[in-house]
Structure formats: C-alpha cells, structure tokens
Amino acid sequence: MFDVDVYLMFSMGCVGGGLDSLFSAVENFTTAAKDFHDRLQHLDTTNPLKVRMANDQMMYLERSFVDPLGLPGRPFYRHIIFAPSSHNKYAGESFPGIYDAMFDIQNAQDVPKAWEEVKRQISIAAFTVHAAAMTLNSPA
C-alpha cells in the first residue's frame, strides 16, 4: 500500500498543485455567494422583475452543479457536488467523482491512467464550481 497523499502531491505537480484549480474555484464561489447574499438582503421585494431575476439565479445555481453525462460508471447520478456513495450504501459523498476516482486507484490495473482520471474529475469539479459562481454574479 502506498501513501495516497504523497503520490497525489508528486503526480500532480508541486504540493497540492493538482487541487489549486478546485481551491481557487471554491474561493471564487464563496465570494460570489457572499455577494449574492448581500444583494438578496437589499432586494426590492416589491419589484417582481428583481425578485424573478434573483429566483432565476438560484435556479441556475442548482442546475450548474448537474453534469448531463453523469458520474463515471453511474450516469443516473448527475450532481457533481453530492451523490450517494458508490462504496458505502448508507452514506453520501462530497465531490463523488473525485472520491470514486481516488478510491478506485487501489484496485487499478493501470495506476497512471487511474491518476489521470483523478485529475480529470478534479478538473470537472473545478469547472462546475466556477460555473456555479458565475451564475451568482450581478446581472448587467
């Protein structure tokens, strides 16, 4: 058995380098969510157009987390952030694509290819979180 954290650090570049895009996307999302929350606090609820715009942004936010292709090996689960665990039927997972790809490395025939799948899942998650942040930006 190998130390997954060490292998992840070296296989993806510098320490944590492979996760930088995801961490950056999460930071951007956090900022966008705070800004959106602040705008909601000052929303003119007597203006139906403004209320509709805010409601549409929230609707698009949730939709942005859905991948039409679904998770690898489980196309019926399409949410990138939350899904039932494929390894524990009583629990859910955050970032299930990344979790499953990391879990599957233990039994992989081609370990470098398995790590490429981890990188791909991190990229999908980072893109998805970034797209979600963009839905919260103030409309022009």
Side-chain angles (χ1 to χ4, degrees):
M1 188 78 176
F2 56 89
D3 186 326
V4 173
D5 292 329
V6 171
Y7 195 90
L8 181 62
M9 288 187 292
F10 287 107
S11 70
M12 295 187 158
C14 60
V15 177
L19 296 174
D20 285 349
S21 62
L22 182 56
F23 291 151
S24 176
V26 169
E27 286 179 28
N28 291 340
F29 179 81
T30 301
T31 301
K34 286 178 183 177
D35 291 346
F36 182 71
H37 182 264
D38 290 343
R39 286 195 317 275
L40 286 180
Q41 298 304 310
H42 301 96
L43 182 67
D44 178 8
T45 57
T46 62
N47 184 335
L49 184 59
K50 297 279 185 186
V51 172
R52 174 65 190 260
M53 288 170 59
N55 187 55
D56 285 351
Q57 281 185 280
M58 289 187 277
M59 180 180 62
Y60 289 128
L61 170 66
E62 184 59 30
R63 286 183 185 175
S64 67
F65 290 120
V66 175
D67 184 350
L69 299 176
L71 296 173
R74 303 188 293 160
F76 40 90
Y77 291 115
R78 301 183 320 149
H79 203 281
I80 298 299
I81 307 300
F82 300 110
S85 173
S86 61
H87 304 287
N88 178 352
K89 300 303 177 197
Y90 297 103
E93 293 300 334
S94 299
F95 295 103
I98 298 171
Y99 177 84
D100 288 347
M102 294 285 294
F103 192 90
D104 293 343
I105 287 174
Q106 293 176 337
N107 300 322
Q109 297 288 351
D110 185 354
V111 173
K113 185 176 179 181
W115 278 105
E116 287 301 316
E117 180 61 18
V118 171
K119 292 178 190 178
R120 190 174 83 79
Q121 291 302 319
I122 291 170
S123 177
I124 290 168
F127 175 83
T128 300
V129 172
H130 175 74
M134 295 297 99
T135 67
L136 295 177
N137 285 343
S138 181

